[in-house]
Every structure is written in structure tokens, then in C-alpha cells.
Amino acid sequence: MNMHVWTIYLLAAIGLSLTPGPNGLLSLTHGACFGFRSTVFTILGGALGFFVLIAASLAGLGALLAASEQAFTVMKWIGAAYLVYLGIRVWRAPAPTLAAASLEREMPEAGPIQLFSQGFLVAVTNPKGLIFFAAFLPQFMVPGMSYPEQLVLFGGTFILVEILYELMLARTAQQIAPWLARHGRWFNRATGGVFVGVGAVLTTMSR
């Protein structure tokens, strides 16, 4: 791949990352609830999830979901159910500043493994993401380049962009801590409601 084509792909990846989505919202929420350092695990989990989606898309699974109504429906309901579950958890969580101040004491289940798993599951259970990558990546694939090389090139570029963007969101969330001290419960309810809403909308989507 020449530099010109890669630059176009990079710009497209940046545009895709800046599009509001469940993983960006999750990074913002975890940044407010658990602090920047803990949210790094959430972001890395999401990055791994996106990498799996890209690997699957390059391998042709995105085309399978696009062609099979049954496979798409199963993935759709799994993703929707997890987002609704996550939304309820966020809605019922303590105010973000309290959770950040006493993470180990009040929310021991929100450790690195759990945060990583949440980020991963939100990314990997979204069938629209898999189909999007299946439609998006072929426009940039280079004939003759091996699967591992394309996976490293396409996956690595997108994951780097996505990590940087979500780190920025997590840092921004930490900076609004004074406001959250006054309105933390409402923040949780608003973001939890958005997760539930996104899950509900996901159930209405078709291929």
C-alpha cells in the first residue's frame, strides 16, 4: 500500500472513530466513574474487540452476517441485551466522584479485568460494526498482500486512532469532576439511559 492510499484510510479511520458510538460513551462514563488510569483497561478491551471485528471482517465473517438473517439476528440480540444490562448497571451506580474515590471499597467488581471485559464485549457484540468493517475495508485492501500483513496494517491503524480518541474522552471526563460532584447521579442516569436506548435501537436494525 502506498502512502497516499494509507493516508486516505487513516482519515477515514479518524472519521469513523469520531462518530458517536457505545465504546466512546463507555470510555467517557468509566473515565468519570473510575478515573483515567482505570479506564485505560476499558479502552484496551474495546481496542481488542475492534481488532477481532477487523480480523473477522477480513476473513469474510462480515459478509456472512450480511447474507444470513439468522446469524445477524442472533448477534443483534446479544449485543442489544448486553448494552441494556450495562445501561442498568450504570443507572444504578453510585455518583461518579464517589465511585472514583472509593473504587476498591464500594465497587470491587470494577477491577481491571472487569473493565477490560466490558470494553471488549461492547465492541465485539455489535454486528453493525462487523458489517461496517466488511464493507469498509475492501475499498483499501491491496491485491497480493497477505492476510497477516493487511490485518496488522488496517487493524493497527484503526486501533491506534481509536485508543487515542477514547483516551481523550476519558481524560475529558476526569476534568469535569467538579460538575459531577453536584450532578453525578443524573450523569449516571443519563448515560445509563443512553446505553439502554442504543440497545433498544439495535433491536430494530436490519442488515
Side-chain angles (χ1 to χ4, degrees):
M1 176 181 289
N2 60 49
M3 184 60 65
H4 175 70
V5 175
W6 180 82
T7 301
I8 295 175
Y9 175 78
L10 174 62
L11 293 176
I14 292 173
L16 175 60
S17 292
L18 293 178
T19 302
N23 279 87
L25 179 61
L26 186 67
S27 296
L28 184 66
T29 304
H30 281 186
C33 292
F34 310 120
F36 180 77
R37 289 189 176 182
S38 294
T39 305
V40 170
F41 293 103
T42 304
I43 295 169
L44 292 178
L48 178 60
F50 282 123
F51 191 80
V52 169
L53 290 185
I54 292 172
S57 295
L58 289 173
L61 292 183
L64 172 63
L65 281 187
S68 171
E69 183 71 35
Q70 184 176 12
F72 179 85
T73 300
V74 170
M75 282 295 297
K76 178 179 70 174
W77 281 100
I78 290 174
Y82 185 72
L83 286 176
V84 171
Y85 162 77
L86 196 60
I88 294 172
R89 287 283 304 275
V90 172
W91 179 287
R92 299 175 59 185
T97 50
L98 293 178
S102 53
L103 175 60
E104 295 299 330
R105 178 168 55 87
E106 297 187 24
M107 301 187 71
E109 74 279 8
I113 295 177
Q114 288 72 25
L115 295 176
F116 183 93
S117 298
Q118 284 191 20
F120 176 80
L121 288 173
V122 167
V124 83
T125 58
N126 186 350
K128 280 292 183 179
L130 185 56
I131 291 177
F132 180 86
F133 283 123
F136 175 70
L137 292 176
Q139 303 176 51
F140 299 94
M141 293 176 68
V142 179
M145 181 180 288
S146 68
Y147 175 83
E149 289 175 325
Q150 297 201 66
L151 180 58
V152 170
L153 179 63
F154 293 122
T157 298
F158 180 83
I159 295 311
L160 178 60
V161 170
E162 185 69 20
I163 287 176
L164 292 175
Y165 170 63
E166 292 188 18
L167 286 174
M168 181 188 69
L169 289 179
R171 179 66 72 183
T172 300
Q174 225 179 9
Q175 291 175 347
I176 62 174
W179 180 87
L180 289 173
R182 300 188 300 272
H183 308 289
R185 291 292 296 180
W186 288 109
F187 174 84
N188 282 348
R189 290 171 181 174
T191 54
V194 170
F195 275 120
V196 172
V198 171
V201 169
L202 186 60
T203 65
T204 68
M205 291 182 174
S206 62
R207 292 173 296 160

